Each structure stands twice: as structure tokens, then as C-alpha cells.
Amino acid sequence: METEDDALRHLRLAGVIRLGLGGGRGPNDAYVFDPHRLALPSWAFALGEAGPPALLVTLDRHLDTVVPAHPEAVPDRSAGVRALDEHARYALDVRNYDHLLAAMEAGLVGDALLVARARPRGAFAGETYVDTRGRAHRLVVVPTVDRAAEAWNHPAPGDAVREVLEGAERVLLDVDLDCFTSLSDADPTTVLPWPKGIIREFLLPEGSEPFWDAVLEKTVALTLAREPHHCGGLLASGELFRDVAEVLFRELLRTGLP
């Protein structure tokens, strides 16, 4: 019978693909899955039970800060990867928008830097989330990488990007594929994947290199959610993944394609 230690040595979570990243910059491992809530056990696996919570830097179309229905029921990270995996699959919302605050409840994530443009109904709107254990978590929200880089390079009064990054010991870099999509003005139910050139402009805008250096020097893992239902379907999301991977892995992380 496989023990928790075995699970920590060999990631065996249904639907989660672990990738080894070598020869580039930033993290050594990436975790790819479809439903974004599977980030919860992936973060637990990447961080282990020791060490302080990580700063989460997440790129998403949606601000996934809806409070879990039962935040007090989220297992602590000390319960192990399996407990958090089970909670993510069977207790978190299938709409995949409450895993971020669940990770704070679990003690995996401390503060969060959220690059996101849309706020789902019910999303927590404050600048500080206090979890059910009494711990405070800063939520720093910017709409684009360009804005995050500007706040890093030339902080204005009230900007907290540099503050949370400099205060972090470890970073989890999280990317939702739907970050690189927009809703059609003609039909709000139609999702429009971005072409590669626009992906590159968003992810690697001019002047963003110092910001990315600060993020990647502390990043211990990359998580990548594909969420095809938010990206135009299976075929469209597959093509989008290919284009995003070219920019994300080759140009940002300077490593090979997965």
C-alpha cells in the first residue's frame, strides 16, 4: 500500500502532469492540469510540509478569490497532499474560483499577486483576507503584466508589488490558459483565444525583465491550468496551449517545450 511518503516522491494525482524543467531559469518543476482547483494539491506537493507559505503570483482572466463554501473545513497543509487533493476534487467549487483562498486557509499561500482582469460574482473584494485561523493575507491585484512591471520598476504611492515580492522567501507561479483569451463583443458567450504575438506582448512587455527576474529567482514551481471550457473548447484550447507554451517556456523560462 502506498504511503504519503511514496506520494510525495512520485506525484500520483489523477489529471496532474508533472514536468521537469531543466537548463532554463526559474522553477525546476511544472504541474499541468485542466481544472484549476487541482492547483491546491500541486502546490502542496511542490512546497511540502516544511517552510513558510509561499507568495502566489498568478496570471488569470478571472480573479479567483471567491471564499470557499466551508473555509474552516479546508485541511491544513500538515494533513498531506492526499487530503488536499481529495478536498480540491470533492469539496471545492467545480467552477474553479475558490482554490486560491482555500490555499491560504491550508497555509500553503501567504500573500498573492494577482494579474487578472475579470471579477467573478462573489469574489472577495478586499485588500486583505483573514482566514479562519486568523492569519492575514495581502491580495495585490493588477490587470496586466505591464502594470505589475511598472509597479516593480517605479513604485507609486500605494503600489505593493515590490513589497510583497521582496518579502517572499518562495514563489509559486500560476498560469491559467484563459488569461490569454477575451470574450467576443459580438457574442459574450464566445471565447476568443489570442494570437501568439498578443500573448508575447502581454506576457513579456517592454521593461518587464526586472520584474520577471525578481519573480523567477524565488519561484519553486509553475502550475498551468488548461481549463478548455474557458478557452473555446478542446481544439481551440489545444492550439492556444501550443502558442502560450512557446512564449512561456521558450522565451520566459528559457527552457524546452513540455
Side-chain angles (χ1 to χ4, degrees):
M1 181 175 179
E2 186 183 63
T3 66
E4 182 72 17
D5 288 341
D6 293 328
L8 289 175
R9 283 195 295 269
H10 309 287
L11 180 66
R12 293 180 181 175
L13 302 176
V16 178
I17 302 169
R18 183 185 183 188
L19 303 173
L21 306 177
R25 62 173 182 165
N28 292 322
D29 295 297
Y31 304 85
V32 182
F33 38 79
D34 283 352
H36 208 158
R37 64 189 184 277
L38 292 184
L40 189 66
S42 300
W43 294 335
F45 182 89
L47 293 175
E49 296 179 18
L55 171 70
L56 178 66
V57 178
T58 181
L59 284 73
D60 203 325
R61 176 154 57 92
H62 305 99
L63 195 66
D64 290 337
T65 56
V66 174
V67 179
H70 301 287
E72 74 287 348
V74 179
D76 185 78
R77 63 189 290 189
S78 61
V81 174
R82 285 187 172 186
L84 287 162
D85 181 55
E86 181 176 349
H87 188 83
R89 293 176 193 273
Y90 301 112
L92 294 186
D93 200 293
V94 295
R95 287 168 288 188
N96 294 290
Y97 55 25
D98 57 358
H99 53 279
L100 194 158
L101 298 189
M104 293 180 172
E105 292 286 348
L108 294 167
V109 169
D111 297 332
L113 172 56
L114 305 104
V115 181
R117 310 186 303 279
R119 189 182 296 272
R121 181 178 299 176
F124 180 78
E127 296 181 355
T128 301
Y129 175 71
V130 179
D131 65 32
T132 56
R133 281 85 166 175
R135 299 168 300 205
H137 307 266
R138 299 183 67 179
L139 303 176
V140 181
V141 181
V142 292
T144 62
V145 174
D146 180 70
R147 180 67 189 88
E150 178 66 21
W152 169 264
N153 294 330
H154 307 289
D159 283 344
V161 171
R162 179 180 285 271
E163 188 175 343
V164 294
L165 267 173
E166 288 183 336
E169 292 186 26
R170 298 186 292 179
V171 169
L172 292 166
L173 178 59
D174 176 65
V175 178
D176 191 330
L177 199 60
D178 75 5
C179 182
F180 308 102
T181 66
S182 298
L183 297 179
S184 169
D185 288 338
D187 178 8
T189 64
T190 298
V191 176
L192 302 176
W194 294 356
K196 188 189 297 184
I198 301 300
I199 295 168
R200 182 179 294 109
E201 288 180 16
F202 182 89
L203 196 59
L204 300 171
E206 184 177 355
S208 64
E209 193 67 15
F211 166 73
W212 280 122
D213 284 343
V215 171
L216 294 175
E217 70 178 1
K218 297 181 178 182
T219 299
V220 296
L222 164 69
T223 47
L224 178 54
R226 293 182 293 196
E227 299 217 336
H229 57 292
H230 283 162
C231 300
L234 288 172
L235 294 179
S237 67
E239 294 177 1
L240 179 61
F241 180 84
R242 179 197 60 203
D243 290 341
V244 169
E246 286 279 352
V247 181
L248 178 63
F249 289 94
R250 286 195 186 278
E251 299 183 38
L252 176 61
L253 300 182
R254 299 170 189 169
T255 188
L257 289 175

